[in-house]
Amino acid sequence: MTTSIRPMTMLLAVLCAYGVATTSQAEPSNKWRIELDHTADNDGAIVLRIAPVGGMPIDVEAKIPAKTRENHAARILRDALKAALGKGYHVETDDGEDVLIGKRGDTPNFDLTLVSSSVTGLTIELERE
């Protein structure tokens, strides 16, 4: 009886893993908005991942000092993204507290994810445009 349960348990585990993988699939876009709100309570870092379709993901880290307000944090994040992404992407701030990332030319659509943030108090929201 134990031998017939083990293969079924393994099959169930594989199916569950497949279900999680398919439901969390990326929905790439040609443009993303990063909305920042409030003020950083502590020194920390925000790490974002830009994953172009068919390309290698790029992780970008922006160090945010304590007491940084949303507009200044957006400029820090914008500058970090510009430095890491290069000419294939257009990066700018919008409304002071938002950062826009758009593809240029033949750059493929991309997915954007928040890998981590050790900054408390500053909220980060990602939206497809």
Side-chain angles (χ1 to χ4, degrees):
M1 180 148 165
T2 307
T3 56
S4 65
I5 292 176
R6 181 169 282 157
M8 290 297 287
T9 303
M10 291 177 65
L11 177 62
L12 183 59
V14 168
L15 290 174
C16 287
Y18 176 76
V20 169
T22 57
T23 58
S24 64
Q25 279 183 330
E27 293 183 42
S29 180
N30 66 338
K31 190 174 186 182
W32 286 84
R33 176 178 298 269
I34 305 163
E35 295 179 358
L36 302 173
D37 202 12
H38 306 297
T39 302
D41 293 334
N42 61 305
D43 292 339
I46 298 168
V47 180
L48 296 172
R49 178 168 295 146
I50 294 81
V53 173
M56 292 297 296
I58 302 163
D59 286 357
V60 179
E61 180 182 67
K63 295 185 187 253
I64 308 294
K67 301 188 189 309
T68 301
R69 294 181 182 260
E70 58 200 27
N71 288 11
H72 187 213
R75 290 191 301 273
I76 293 169
L77 186 56
R78 175 201 62 200
D79 294 346
L81 286 162
K82 278 185 176 185
L85 296 177
K87 295 182 181 186
Y89 297 89
H90 176 75
V91 183
E92 65 180 327
T93 55
D94 184 44
D95 296 332
E97 69 274 0
D98 294 353
V99 179
L100 300 177
I101 308 171
K103 72 175 195 153
R104 283 190 170 155
D106 293 336
T107 300
N109 285 354
F110 60 99
D111 194 33
L112 177 67
T113 54
L114 176 64
V115 174
S116 65
S117 175
S118 59
V119 181
T120 59
L122 185 69
T123 59
I124 305 158
E125 187 175 324
L126 310 178
E127 293 182 358
R128 281 175 196 79
E129 288 277 305

